[in-house]
Amino acid sequence: MQIRRLPRHEKIHVTGPLSFALREFDLPAFDHGWHQHPEVELTWILEGSGLRHVGDSVEPFGPGDFCLIGANLPHMWSSPPRGAGNRARSFVIQFDPARFGDAFRQLPEMARINQLLAEAAHGICFGDDGASLRQLMEQCRTPIQHLTRLLEVLDSLVDHPRKRQLSLAPWHPVPNRKTDPRVERALAFIAQRWDQPLSQAQVAMAVGLSPAAFSRFFRRHVGRTFQAYLTEMRMSFATRELLETDRTISEIAFAAGFANLSNFNRAFRAIRGMSPREFRRRSLAPA
């Protein structure tokens, strides 16, 4: 299922001696909005947390989050401003594969990178392994070193042990639908409260709609019901916690915003087809 919002087209400006953009951002919050661009993007989160939207994937993110976003795949990292002293820092590389030229991309040495870029049409997460990317790029002293190092990084990601697809399907934008600013307000409101008791009526009030009108509005623009969207975010968080931490299932359930363990187990089984305990056991069992 896909988020039914027409993404804003962003123009990436590349200046200087490099053929790609390499930048570090330091902002009060991640609030760039739902957008897309023909450039492939590598993003490593240095500081900040919130929700990462990539195609039809919605997941919590935090420091260390490292992703590859394919060409024209809509995405956004969103976080509410949390007052003075809080930061939203990221290290970003954006490049257009078309600039390599057909002859270069057809070289046999490019086969693995071409495979990775094809997979990136869904968006890829690599866990929290972005530190090496920044270190490698900062060691470069000449433009050609930057380019060859970028190719080396991409090649190394093909076999990354924590590589995980994000969006269930490549993005196909829905035509003739204008972005409604109330969508962004609703998503921002949810992003601040998804791990707390949260009702559709609360979000509806925050954007100035009745619960019934908001229900239709949300499904039309986001492509799923409010409850399905909220459960998806909570399940994404819970899944990551089950795989990457030693927290108990009860701790994870309450941290994900569920009122009790029974509700969490029921929701998890409905989505994953097994209990959280069985999911953790199978996922972490030696191959």
Side-chain angles (χ1 to χ4, degrees):
M1 191 176 295
Q2 296 171 338
I3 299 176
R4 295 184 181 179
R5 287 176 287 140
L6 190 62
R8 173 178 54 82
H9 180 80
E10 180 183 16
K11 183 174 178 58
I12 305 298
H13 297 281
V14 178
T15 59
L18 299 181
S19 61
F20 57 93
L22 189 156
R23 294 176 288 182
E24 184 170 325
F25 295 94
D26 190 345
L27 303 167
F30 293 101
D31 60 355
H32 198 50
W34 183 238
H35 66 284
Q36 65 182 153
H37 41 71
E39 290 79 9
V40 175
E41 177 174 310
L42 274 166
T43 293
W44 178 42
I45 303 299
L46 302 173
E47 290 186 52
S49 60
L51 288 177
R52 176 190 356 97
H53 302 244
V54 177
D56 58 25
S57 168
V58 183
E59 296 182 355
F61 75 89
D65 192 62
F66 182 36
C67 295
L68 177 65
I69 309 300
N72 292 312
L73 178 62
H75 58 282
M76 71 175 179
W77 279 256
S78 64
S79 66
R82 299 183 184 275
N86 294 289
R87 304 166 73 182
R89 295 179 56 228
S90 59
F91 183 76
V92 178
I93 294 176
Q94 295 161 321
F95 64 95
D96 185 354
R99 299 194 69 177
F100 293 155
D102 290 340
F104 184 79
R105 285 182 291 167
Q106 290 171 9
L107 292 173
E109 293 86 350
M110 286 292 292
R112 284 165 51 87
I113 292 178
N114 290 335
Q115 171 194 333
L116 180 71
L117 297 182
E119 295 173 0
H122 299 263
I124 305 172
C125 180
F126 302 98
D128 57 359
D129 197 26
S132 58
L133 168 69
R134 188 185 186 197
Q135 292 169 358
L136 287 171
M137 300 309 292
E138 287 180 343
Q139 292 169 4
C140 298
R141 294 292 177 266
T142 66
I144 193 64
Q145 286 180 345
H146 278 94
L147 178 58
T148 56
R149 190 57 55 83
L150 173 61
L151 295 175
E152 290 173 5
V153 168
L154 293 173
D155 186 73
S156 71
L157 293 177
V158 173
D159 301 317
H160 196 283
R162 299 178 67 187
K163 182 170 67 172
R164 177 171 60 85
Q165 176 180 309
L166 293 175
S167 185
L168 294 177
W171 178 260
H172 301 288
V174 177
N176 302 322
R177 187 177 298 280
K178 295 182 179 179
T179 301
D180 190 313
R182 291 174 296 183
V183 175
E184 305 299 338
R185 294 209 305 271
L187 295 180
F189 188 86
I190 296 169
Q192 297 177 55
R193 298 166 175 82
W194 65 269
D195 57 347
Q196 307 166 26
L198 183 63
S199 69
Q200 180 169 274
Q202 288 175 278
V203 188
M205 182 179 295
V207 298
L209 292 171
S210 70
F214 176 78
S215 177
R216 295 189 297 271
F217 169 85
F218 193 87
R219 183 161 193 150
R220 183 171 69 251
H221 286 275
V222 181
R224 68 204 79 177
T225 66
F226 161 76
Q227 192 58 52
Y229 179 86
L230 181 62
T231 300
E232 179 180 301
M233 286 191 294
R234 290 172 170 174
M235 285 295 106
S236 294
F237 169 82
T239 298
R240 189 168 68 178
E241 292 293 292
L242 287 167
L243 294 176
E244 299 181 0
T245 76
D246 294 325
R247 300 174 78 177
T248 68
I249 292 174
S250 293
E251 289 173 336
I252 293 172
F254 291 117
F258 287 88
N260 56 66
L261 185 58
S262 295
N263 287 346
F264 172 65
N265 285 333
R266 189 180 307 113
F268 195 94
R269 186 180 293 276
I271 291 176
R272 296 290 184 182
M274 64 186 77
S275 69
R277 189 177 306 280
E278 178 67 8
F279 175 82
R280 174 179 264 175
R281 186 187 68 79
R282 291 188 185 184
S283 300
L284 301 182

